[in-house]
Amino acid sequence: MDNEIFKKLLQKHADGRALSPEEEVLLQQGYDELLEEELTATEKEDALSAETGRDLRRRIDHIIASRQTKRFRLKDFRRIAAALLAGIILLAGAYWLRPGKTGNNGRHEILPGNNIASLTLSDGSVIALDSVQNGTIALQGGVRIEKDTSGNIRYHAEARTGVMPAATNTIATPRGGQYRIILPDGSVAMLNAASSLSYPVCFAEKERRVKMTGEVYFEIRQQKMPGGKENVPFFVESAGQEVQVLGTHFNINAYSDEPAVKTTLAEGSVKVRSAGGRSVLLKPGQQAVLAKQLTVQPADITEQLAWVSGDFVFRGETLESVLRQVGRWYDVSAEYPPHIGQLRFNGMISRSQPLSAIIGMIQSTKKASVTIKERRLIVTD
């Protein structure tokens, strides 16, 4: 495929613009060709050692941490991902099947999630964002709510007078959904599946505060207080903790079915305070983990933020954890015995792939077998 065509399709997909069926086929074809080229090149270098593979992964991590977390654009991520794939295959000996190579025992294919969300206004009315037309979708006091041509939700304060500072909106994604929103202060938030974010239609002058559930990636815009001397702090409330930021990029995973709340910092600095009163200050590349207590550990930025760029990345992940992530994105449930849930996986796969590709990845290990009954995955030895 022509490289320029492939780049244009990748950029269109990264911008959130809809692809025609023909363009989707071409994008998948280009992606497959790229992966094949990388894997072929790797096979020729059969002298590549495990240490070289680890070096490759560290270089990729550095590139993604410094570039990809700065914006919701793929740019060269697919090429980086292909190289990462080759490194992981060498290190873990795992592989996965392309769409169409593995069927669901003749059943209808289960497709991945999409940009689906609902917006609940302060008066209780609900707007289905995936079906509403582009343009102005609501007016609240002096605030105009708009869906732009890329499908993003934006807030425009026409004037400070008449604005309802206490009015709160809530955006929520179902299982199998995700959505991107530009908040009233210009900050960006991207919601993963089964997540929600509540925020005022107009932030206060001295404090910005939102509440979330599920998983949300934030890019917080700096904002000066009246007089221009200090920045207006931004607070994110989630299960059992509060995160304070000024201007930074970070991800919070606070699903109720996860064993811990994880706050991963990609850029800037944040302070995480638990409900018990303990607080920690994070540096880029660190992660706060709130379980029985609040601790700090090094973060795998590539793995934690892969979903933002449209991928799953698993590094020593238990099958139990893999199936929770897969279940939310494909809106399926899973059944498995406890010992199967503790199997560990390494691999990477696009979130745009159908469920059969994930099943192929799991079954390729020869350690587990997966069958589908309606929207249930049944995993056995």
Side-chain angles (χ1 to χ4, degrees):
M1 174 186 290
D2 183 272
N3 284 337
E4 290 303 316
I5 295 176
F6 184 46
K7 289 179 182 178
K8 289 179 180 179
L9 290 175
L10 276 178
Q11 190 61 63
K12 186 174 181 180
H13 176 66
D15 291 340
R17 291 177 285 163
L19 299 177
S20 68
E22 294 79 9
E23 287 175 326
E24 289 181 353
V25 171
L26 286 174
L27 180 59
Q28 185 60 56
Q29 178 185 339
Y31 187 27
D32 288 346
E33 288 176 0
L34 182 58
L35 289 177
E36 186 172 348
E37 289 174 7
E38 296 287 349
L39 291 174
T40 300
T42 301
E43 289 172 358
K44 292 179 180 179
E45 298 174 1
D46 53 8
L48 185 63
S49 65
E51 181 60 35
T52 303
R54 286 191 289 271
D55 288 341
L56 171 65
R57 194 177 77 177
R58 284 193 290 269
R59 292 200 307 273
I60 293 166
D61 285 349
H62 176 73
I63 294 170
I64 294 176
S66 63
R67 178 189 300 171
Q68 288 308 119
T69 57
K70 294 184 178 180
R71 56 182 64 85
F72 294 114
R73 303 174 75 88
L74 290 180
K75 288 193 174 179
D76 298 325
F77 186 69
R78 293 299 182 190
R79 183 169 295 280
I80 296 168
L84 174 61
L85 167 60
I88 290 176
I89 287 177
L90 286 170
L91 293 170
Y95 71 95
W96 50 88
L97 303 179
R98 295 177 184 171
K101 296 288 183 72
T102 299
N104 295 330
N105 298 322
R107 297 178 185 272
H108 181 68
E109 183 70 271
I110 295 179
L111 299 178
N114 210 331
N115 293 324
I116 304 171
S118 62
L119 179 66
T120 302
L121 304 179
S122 58
D123 62 3
S125 58
V126 180
I127 300 173
L129 298 178
D130 48 299
S131 59
V132 72
Q133 296 279 338
N134 294 341
T136 300
I137 60 175
L139 292 170
Q140 295 193 294
V143 177
R144 177 169 54 87
I145 307 173
E146 172 192 85
K147 181 179 180 181
D148 65 23
T149 55
S150 296
N152 303 314
I153 298 303
R154 296 176 180 270
Y155 284 74
H156 302 277
E158 304 297 340
R160 296 292 294 186
T161 57
V163 172
M164 303 175 291
T168 299
N169 285 184
T170 299
I171 184 172
T173 55
R175 290 169 64 88
Q178 64 178 21
Y179 219 86
R180 185 175 186 267
I181 179 173
I182 290 83
L183 295 170
D185 65 341
S187 298
V188 176
M190 186 170 182
L191 285 73
N192 203 348
S195 303
S196 70
L197 182 66
S198 298
Y199 49 90
V201 298
C202 182
F203 287 112
E205 291 185 346
K206 296 184 178 181
E207 176 183 284
R208 297 172 288 172
R209 186 174 293 271
V210 301
K211 297 181 180 180
M212 61 153 287
T213 64
E215 184 169 23
V216 182
Y217 175 79
F218 294 93
E219 294 186 353
I220 303 304
R221 182 178 179 181
Q222 289 191 354
Q223 182 174 307
K224 295 291 184 181
M225 286 188 178
K229 294 183 179 180
E230 298 181 5
N231 288 317
V232 180
F234 193 106
F235 296 92
V236 182
E237 297 179 16
S238 58
Q241 71 172 34
E242 176 186 85
V243 177
Q244 179 182 352
V245 304
L246 294 176
T248 186
H249 301 173
F250 62 101
N251 187 79
I252 300 178
N253 184 322
Y255 287 111
S256 59
D257 60 351
E258 292 290 342
V261 177
K262 296 181 178 180
T263 303
T264 305
L265 182 63
E267 182 179 311
S269 65
V270 301
K271 179 186 289 185
V272 182
R273 183 187 302 274
S274 69
R278 173 173 165 74
S279 64
V280 296
L281 186 66
L282 296 184
K283 298 178 181 179
Q286 290 185 329
Q287 180 181 80
V289 180
L290 176 61
K292 293 182 178 179
Q293 59 183 358
L294 183 62
T295 59
V296 177
Q297 66 184 26
D300 188 331
I301 298 294
T302 306
E303 182 176 15
Q304 296 298 316
L305 301 188
W307 73 272
V308 178
S309 295
D311 291 282
F312 288 112
V313 172
F314 306 122
R315 288 181 177 163
E317 202 78 18
T318 63
L319 179 59
E320 182 179 25
S321 175
V322 169
L323 291 176
R324 282 198 299 267
Q325 297 176 55
V326 169
R328 287 189 285 261
W329 184 234
Y330 292 89
D331 190 17
V332 296
S333 61
E335 300 174 10
Y336 51 88
H339 70 282
I340 292 291
Q342 297 310 303
L343 293 175
R344 294 191 176 273
F345 289 84
N346 292 293
M348 190 194 85
I349 192 167
S350 170
R351 279 164 49 112
S352 66
Q353 300 277 39
L355 183 60
S356 61
I358 301 287
I359 293 174
M361 182 185 73
I362 294 173
Q363 296 191 144
S364 71
T365 64
K366 309 298 184 183
K367 296 180 180 179
S369 178
V370 184
T371 57
I372 298 179
K373 290 186 178 180
E374 296 180 345
R375 300 193 75 87
R376 287 186 300 135
L377 301 184
I378 301 174
V379 187
T380 56
D381 290 308

